[in-house]
Amino acid sequence: MKIITTRILLGLVLFGLCSCNSVKSTSPTNNSPITSQNNPQTQLPIKLASSSSSVTLLKVLTEAYQANHKTATFEFVSQSQSEGAIAALKNGIVDIAGSSHKLKPEEDDGKIQYREIAQDLLVVATHNSVKSVTNLTTDQLKSIYAGKITNWKELGGPNAKIVVLDRPEDESAKKLLRKYYLGQDKTTTQAVILNKEGELIDTIQSTPYSIGAFSLAYSLINQLPVNHLNLNGNAPNKENFTSGKYQMVRHLGLIWQKTPTSNTQKFIDFVFSPEGTKLLQDKGFITKN
């Protein structure tokens, strides 16, 4: 009887050890979203949707917040246009939407709110194969996008065909280019249209003799190996923007529910705190002090 009892107890111990090992093997990895069900100390993820032009700003903020709030987690649900991000928020899919435009009257259902976070200068840049071209006038830039100037040698650069990388007409980058430099001239049919800003940034780095416009802050943060161009003799920087010499800038903001969860509210408080403001300034964004 004692032998049987001992064997039963031994079997229970071994079963317990196997059970523990199986729980450990199915635990989430560092790359998996962790929920409070797995770890009571970890918050449910704050879900975000953003326009492609605001995703860099949001990632800077979420990474900094997580560094000091170890239990906080974030999930980027989608990256499209501002309108799509706002729709996701209104439909309860996400907690926060990043937008490159202010909340329009037709987008406001009375349950959400908008606040600008920062401004991001738009830079016109070239692949680093374009030598000797450091400045473009308005007329020169218009002629490039219209297909009237097609070779860099016409501007004092290498004897190579200009590759124009462009964005759709309804994107903020193209709207700003038209407002300040291009006017309503038709864009050359030879332009390569890229739907997302990230696609344009990747393409300009890999395509010799290309030119395109995108986020200055992203370029500075990631130290992109591209040539930033002056426009009409003015460099894209805070000083020239403040003085009114360089005006091509996007307004980036957050939109969230008027009654957010406590975790979402804590993150929003951080975004608009002096700490959050200084962080963005250090990364190349322009903020209101």
Side-chain angles (χ1 to χ4, degrees), residues 103 111-115 254-260 265:
L103 194 61
K111 299 178 181 179
I112 57 178
Q113 55 191 331
Y114 168 91
R115 184 174 173 184
L254 284 191
I255 304 172
W256 67 96
Q257 299 288 345
K258 288 185 176 179
T259 54
Q265 185 63 59

Side-chain angles (χ1 to χ4, degrees), residues 225-255:
V226 296
N227 301 324
H228 296 171
L229 298 180
N230 295 345
L231 298 178
N232 297 317
N234 300 307
N237 57 40
K238 182 178 179 180
E239 292 72 27
N240 284 333
F241 171 71
T242 302
S243 66
K245 295 177 181 178
Y246 194 100
Q247 300 181 47
M248 197 161 55
V249 67
R250 284 186 293 212
H251 298 261
L252 307 179
L254 284 191
I255 304 172

Side-chain angles (χ1 to χ4, degrees), residues 270-284:
F270 163 74
V271 169
F272 295 105
S273 70
E275 181 184 358
T277 298
K278 185 178 185 306
L279 169 69
L280 295 178
Q281 290 174 343
D282 291 344
K283 294 296 185 179

Side-chain angles (χ1 to χ4, degrees), residues 3 19 24 29 36 40 62-63 94 110 133 151 170 179 190 193 209 211-212 218 222 238 245 249 254 257:
I3 294 173
S19 298
K24 288 179 182 177
T29 65
S36 57
T62 54
E63 288 170 6
V94 298
V133 179
N151 194 301
D170 60 349
K179 179 178 180 180
Q190 299 300 309
I193 309 299
Y209 310 113
I211 184 172
Y218 184 94
N222 295 281
K238 182 178 179 180
K245 295 177 181 178
V249 67
L254 284 191
Q257 299 288 345

Side-chain angles (χ1 to χ4, degrees), residues 28-61:
T29 65
N30 291 334
N31 294 325
S32 303
I34 303 174
T35 66
S36 57
Q37 182 177 0
N38 302 109
N39 183 352
Q41 300 302 316
T42 303
Q43 302 171 6
L44 289 170
I46 297 173
K47 296 183 179 181
L48 306 98
S50 69
S51 62
S52 61
S53 55
S54 63
V55 68
T56 299
L57 176 140
L58 288 177
K59 287 187 175 179
V60 165
L61 290 166

